Amino acid sequence: MQATIDITWLDLALFMLLLSIPVAISHWLQLGIGRDIGIAVLRMTLQLLLVGIYLQFLFDLNSVWLNLTWLATMILIGASAILSGAKLPKRLLFLPILTSITLSLLPVLAILLLGLLQPTPSYSAQYLIPLAGMLLGNSLSGNIVALQRLFSALAENRSEYEGRLALGARPKQASMPFVQSALKQSLAPILASMATTGLVTLPGMMTGQILGGSDPMLAVKYQLIILLAIFVVLSVCVTTSLLLSVRVALNPSGKLLINKTN
């Protein structure tokens, strides 16, 4: 296995000329997203450069308090991003979502760092930050889908929900079918992805390790660990988010306190 091939900044700039293709498609089909493409690419580039500089500083310093502060910041931003993506009120649901992320992410992260990988030191930024980023990042879309489906279903099927209440069901019982449906829909994509991994696709982390010169079987081991960890974190996080959100979004009489149009 050869070492990672370096990419010069000039080569990267020339490669980015390929973006003229989707911009041309937008112009040809009158999609009107050429400006959006430019802004998205510019933001992505600047943000990644800044993160790269900061992570280099973080890795070199490797301070436990700085690492934990960065982890806490990631969790806070993640909770906010979920509610923004789902277009739900942060004032009511921020604490439940923050709680669900923390309860699902930290135990799995601790098992990975303290039990399985055991880097030195255990809070090593080289492992802590990328692992937390992958686990958290893959939880965002699942939570957004689940929360959107839950509150949309409650609003669209209000008569069905109220019918269960009229028959004597408690709010938690009456809303449970909607919770179950939202949970299944949010987990469906990752289950499909796991079932085809290796046959249809090679995951990004595994591809990156192989391109970086790692042994393919070592890359397989890491990818299995990450995929399993992502699935566990996503399952716990979405389940907890739905249950806690229902608890705060329904008053004791069962009235929904959230308007999905918010």
Side-chain angles (χ1 to χ4, degrees), residues 112-193:
L112 285 171
L113 294 174
L114 301 177
L116 185 61
L117 301 177
Q118 299 181 1
T120 304
S122 58
Y123 55 83
S124 172
Q126 181 183 354
Y127 288 87
L128 174 65
I129 303 305
L131 286 173
M134 282 188 286
L135 297 177
L136 182 57
N138 283 274
S139 297
L140 297 186
S141 58
N143 273 278
I144 291 172
V145 169
L147 291 169
Q148 284 180 329
R149 298 289 169 82
L150 172 64
F151 289 107
S152 294
L154 283 170
E156 294 168 2
N157 300 279
R158 185 179 296 272
S159 59
E160 179 183 342
Y161 168 69
E162 292 176 346
R164 292 193 178 97
L165 292 175
L167 292 173
R170 296 191 300 274
K172 181 180 179 181
Q173 294 172 318
S175 63
M176 188 54 64
F178 302 105
V179 171
Q180 293 169 330
S181 177
L183 180 58
K184 286 194 291 186
Q185 290 175 9
S186 69
L187 294 180
I190 190 172
L191 286 173
S193 177

Side-chain angles (χ1 to χ4, degrees), residues 22 69 90 115 130 136 157 163 203 215 221 227 237 253-254 256 259:
T69 299
K90 295 180 182 179
L136 182 57
N157 300 279
D215 180 84
K221 293 175 186 177
L227 285 177
C237 190
S253 66
L256 182 63
N259 184 350

Side-chain angles (χ1 to χ4, degrees), residues 51-223:
V51 167
I53 294 171
Y54 179 72
L55 286 180
Q56 185 63 59
F57 166 75
L58 204 66
F59 289 0
D60 291 341
L61 188 60
N62 214 18
S63 163
V64 59
W65 297 113
L66 187 58
N67 293 352
L68 293 178
T69 299
W70 184 251
L71 176 61
T73 302
M74 292 170 64
I75 293 174
L76 289 169
I77 294 175
S80 178
I82 287 171
L83 293 173
S84 296
K87 296 181 173 61
L88 293 170
K90 295 180 182 179
R91 180 182 59 82
L92 187 63
L93 293 177
F94 185 78
L95 185 57
I97 302 304
L98 180 63
T99 302
S100 68
I101 292 175
T102 303
L103 291 179
S104 60
L105 176 64
L106 295 187
V108 175
L109 200 56
I111 291 172
L112 285 171
L113 294 174
L114 301 177
L116 185 61
L117 301 177
Q118 299 181 1
T120 304
S122 58
Y123 55 83
S124 172
Q126 181 183 354
Y127 288 87
L128 174 65
I129 303 305
L131 286 173
M134 282 188 286
L135 297 177
L136 182 57
N138 283 274
S139 297
L140 297 186
S141 58
N143 273 278
I144 291 172
V145 169
L147 291 169
Q148 284 180 329
R149 298 289 169 82
L150 172 64
F151 289 107
S152 294
L154 283 170
E156 294 168 2
N157 300 279
R158 185 179 296 272
S159 59
E160 179 183 342
Y161 168 69
E162 292 176 346
R164 292 193 178 97
L165 292 175
L167 292 173
R170 296 191 300 274
K172 181 180 179 181
Q173 294 172 318
S175 63
M176 188 54 64
F178 302 105
V179 171
Q180 293 169 330
S181 177
L183 180 58
K184 286 194 291 186
Q185 290 175 9
S186 69
L187 294 180
I190 190 172
L191 286 173
S193 177
M194 289 168 63
T196 57
T197 295
L199 293 176
V200 179
T201 61
L202 285 180
M205 177 183 173
M206 180 175 171
T207 302
Q209 282 189 295
I210 292 174
L211 291 175
S214 294
D215 180 84
M217 290 309 298
L218 178 61
V220 166
K221 293 175 186 177
Y222 268 91
Q223 189 61 63

Side-chain angles (χ1 to χ4, degrees), residues 5 15 113 168 206 233:
I5 299 172
F15 180 79
L113 294 174
M206 180 175 171
V233 170

